[in-house]
């Protein structure tokens, strides 16, 4: 079987490009006589960014709490609020301003606006049947690739699983990449989030579920990531633009990941750790599975002066270690992508828990 792959329809990139957002949303207002819904990281509430956005009096602004990653409950809650505001009127567009948490929230709420049921009903592959409203992504962080991926990641706390709405309908129709928006990101967060591009791309090209297009995109994203993180200043103007491009390409290359992301998902579910830093912790105990990438990652951290907290899994209960194992090993597709169908013979319960204890 051959997959008919979809990518983002339009993109704009460059310093100062945020000034063009009014034109982009203006075209949507002319096409659909409904309000726009702006999903904005709560970090920006009361900040200068809001004054730069083309928000009209009829529009809705939703501040997304990014303290924790999106959950099925939080997505359902935001969906209820947006539906109540729209009251049956079709929006001209949904717009997302933030990192992966905000972008994924916008994508998942968009799916639920035009599909019945709750968020947990659509965690998986090709479960979304009706197109979502038009969506525009404006990332203020680089690395997750959410701006170009077909997945909106959600934590289902009841089922102890982190899984996305994986569908062509989840994708953004328009992406605007302005590297000026990442200039004020805290240095550690810039590293933790940005390195996600490097990680999901090397997992993709070291797996067995591959194709030549994904490999090409991933290889370029990895090259750009290394240029950024092995440079003397990862946050220079040039490097912030490079990292945005790497994230853009990496999102398109994001297919099946490998072992890093399942362990990272376990940390997100049990310790409520954000995705980027959870990935970093995961790779520090996978030197036997990804030896070259482990060495590169450690060099990148040293080069940029990044200190990863130690002892994050010390003192946990047996029940918590069991939950970490369960929330990791459940991701069979990525684990078999890297280790083959017998991955459980390598990643035994004892082996996985020992890795978490080393964090």
């Amino acid at each position: 079987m051959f997959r008919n792959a979809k990518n983002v329809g339009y993109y704009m990139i460059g310093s100062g490009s945020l000034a063009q957002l009014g034109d982009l949303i203006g075209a949507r207002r002319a096409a659909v006589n409904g309000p726009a819904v702006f999903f904005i990281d709560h970090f920006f509430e009361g900040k200068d960014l809001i004054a730069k956005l083309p928000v009209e009096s009829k529009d809705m602004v939703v501040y997304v709490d990014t303290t924790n990653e999106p959950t099925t409950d939080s997505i359902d809650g935001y969906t209820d609020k947006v539906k109540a505001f729209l009251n049956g009127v079709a929006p001209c567009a949904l717009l997302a301003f933030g990192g992966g948490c905000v972008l994924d929230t916008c994508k998942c709420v968009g799916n639920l606006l035009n599909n019945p049921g709750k968020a947990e009903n659509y965690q998986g592959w090709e479960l979304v049947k009706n197109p979502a409203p038009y969506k525009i992504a404006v990332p203020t962080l680089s690395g997750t690739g959410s701006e170009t991926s077909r997945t909106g990641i959600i934590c289902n706390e009841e089922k102890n699983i982190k899984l996305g709405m994986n569908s062509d309908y989840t994708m953004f129709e328009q992406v605007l990449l302005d590297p000026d928006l990442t200039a004020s990101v805290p240095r550690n967060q810039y590293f933790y989030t940005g390195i996600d591009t490097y990680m999901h791309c090397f997992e993709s090209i070291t797996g067995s579920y591959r194709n030549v297009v994904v490999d090409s995109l991933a290889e370029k994203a990895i090259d750009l990531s290394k240029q950024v993180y092995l440079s003397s200043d990862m946050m220079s103007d040039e490097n912030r633009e490079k990292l945005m491009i790497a994230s853009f390409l990496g999102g398109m290359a994001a297919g099946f990941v490998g072992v890093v992301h399942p362990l990272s998902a376990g940390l997100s579910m049990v310790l409520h750790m954000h995705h980027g830093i959870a990935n970093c912790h995961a790779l520090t105990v996978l030197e036997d599975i990804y030896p070259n990438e482990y060495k590169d990652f450690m060099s990148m951290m040293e080069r940029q002066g990044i200190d990863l907290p130690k002892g994050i899994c010390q003192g946990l209960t047996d029940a918590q270690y069991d939950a970490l194992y369960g929330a990791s090993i459940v991701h069979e597709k990525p684990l078999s992508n890297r280790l083959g169908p017998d991955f459980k013979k390598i990643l035994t319960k004892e082996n996985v828990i020992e890795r978490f204890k080393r964090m």
Side-chain angles (χ1 to χ4, degrees):
M1 294 293 293
F2 294 92
R3 179 170 169 265
N4 196 17
K6 181 176 185 276
N7 286 326
V8 166
Y10 295 93
Y11 64 91
M12 180 181 293
I13 183 168
S15 175
S17 59
L18 181 64
Q20 299 298 307
L21 182 61
D23 295 336
L24 298 179
I25 189 61
R28 294 303 307 161
R29 295 190 194 278
V32 179
N33 187 28
V37 180
F38 290 76
F39 294 83
I40 302 174
D41 191 320
H42 75 293
F43 170 83
F44 294 109
E45 190 168 4
K47 302 274 182 29
D48 294 341
L49 174 66
I50 308 304
K52 299 177 182 179
L53 304 182
V55 180
E56 296 186 355
S57 58
K58 67 178 181 179
D59 296 336
M60 181 183 193
V61 174
V62 179
Y63 287 105
V64 178
D65 187 345
T66 57
T67 305
N68 295 310
E69 295 196 313
T71 65
T72 50
D73 287 343
S74 72
I75 296 298
D76 290 338
Y78 289 123
T79 301
D80 290 343
K81 290 179 181 179
V82 174
K83 282 185 175 180
F85 174 83
L86 293 173
N87 195 26
V89 176
C92 65
L94 310 180
L95 301 94
F97 300 80
C101 289
V102 178
L103 271 58
D104 284 357
T105 295
C106 176
K107 292 195 288 187
C108 293
V109 170
N111 284 339
L112 292 182
L113 290 181
N114 290 345
N115 290 275
K118 295 185 176 296
E120 68 175 2
N121 302 137
Y122 299 98
Q123 285 186 285
W125 280 259
E126 316 304 345
L127 300 176
V128 181
K129 303 304 179 184
N130 301 314
Y134 191 96
K135 300 183 294 298
I136 301 175
V138 185
T140 62
L141 277 169
S142 299
T144 68
S146 177
E147 63 272 20
T148 51
S149 83
R150 68 194 302 271
T151 301
I153 301 295
I154 324 172
C155 296
N156 188 321
E157 295 181 325
E158 183 177 347
K159 296 180 179 178
N160 193 34
I161 188 171
K162 185 177 182 180
L163 190 62
M165 291 187 187
N166 198 310
S167 162
D168 284 351
Y169 296 137
T170 308
M171 297 184 74
F172 287 101
E173 282 72 32
Q174 170 77 57
V175 175
L176 188 152
L177 303 173
D178 188 339
D180 293 349
L181 294 173
T182 65
S184 61
V185 176
R187 189 173 183 83
N188 276 4
Q189 185 177 7
Y190 179 91
F191 181 92
Y192 296 147
T193 305
I195 203 69
D196 187 26
T197 288
Y198 172 73
M199 293 197 185
H200 64 236
C201 284
F202 82 61
E203 286 183 288
S204 176
I205 64 172
T206 56
S208 56
Y209 307 139
R210 299 168 58 177
N211 68 61
V212 67
V213 174
V214 167
D215 282 6
S216 299
L217 292 168
E219 287 167 3
K220 185 59 181 178
I222 289 171
D223 175 54
L224 288 169
S225 297
K226 287 184 175 180
Q227 289 180 42
V228 170
Y229 287 122
L230 294 176
S231 72
S232 59
D233 180 10
M234 66 180 180
M235 295 190 70
S236 69
D237 290 349
E238 179 184 6
N239 280 335
R240 283 187 288 103
E241 182 168 270
K242 281 184 179 180
L243 194 60
M244 274 199 149
I245 297 170
S247 180
F248 180 90
L249 297 176
M252 290 191 289
F256 287 108
V257 286
V259 185
V260 173
H261 276 69
L263 295 191
S264 170
L267 293 170
S268 293
M269 291 307 307
V270 179
L271 302 185
H272 304 290
M273 187 174 291
H274 273 251
H275 181 63
I277 190 170
N279 278 354
C280 292
H281 283 294
L283 185 53
T284 63
V285 297
L286 294 171
E287 66 276 17
D288 55 327
I289 296 175
Y290 297 111
N292 295 328
E293 293 78 11
Y294 169 85
K295 290 177 183 177
D296 286 343
F297 171 69
M298 299 304 285
S299 296
M300 292 175 188
M301 281 209 301
E302 181 179 2
R303 182 72 170 172
Q304 300 305 326
I306 301 298
D307 293 320
L308 197 63
K310 305 294 184 184
I312 61 165
C313 291
Q314 296 301 309
L316 299 183
T317 65
D318 289 343
Q320 286 175 305
Y321 283 124
D322 287 345
L324 283 167
Y325 170 75
S328 303
I329 207 70
V330 70
H331 296 281
E332 295 186 358
K333 288 185 178 179
L335 293 173
S336 62
N337 181 41
R338 179 64 182 94
L339 300 175
D342 293 331
F343 66 88
K344 289 185 179 179
K345 293 181 179 179
I346 301 170
L347 297 178
T348 64
K349 185 175 183 179
E350 293 74 16
N351 179 285
V352 172
I353 289 177
E354 185 274 332
R355 292 179 193 270
F356 281 117
K357 287 182 176 180
R358 286 201 285 127
M359 297 180 189

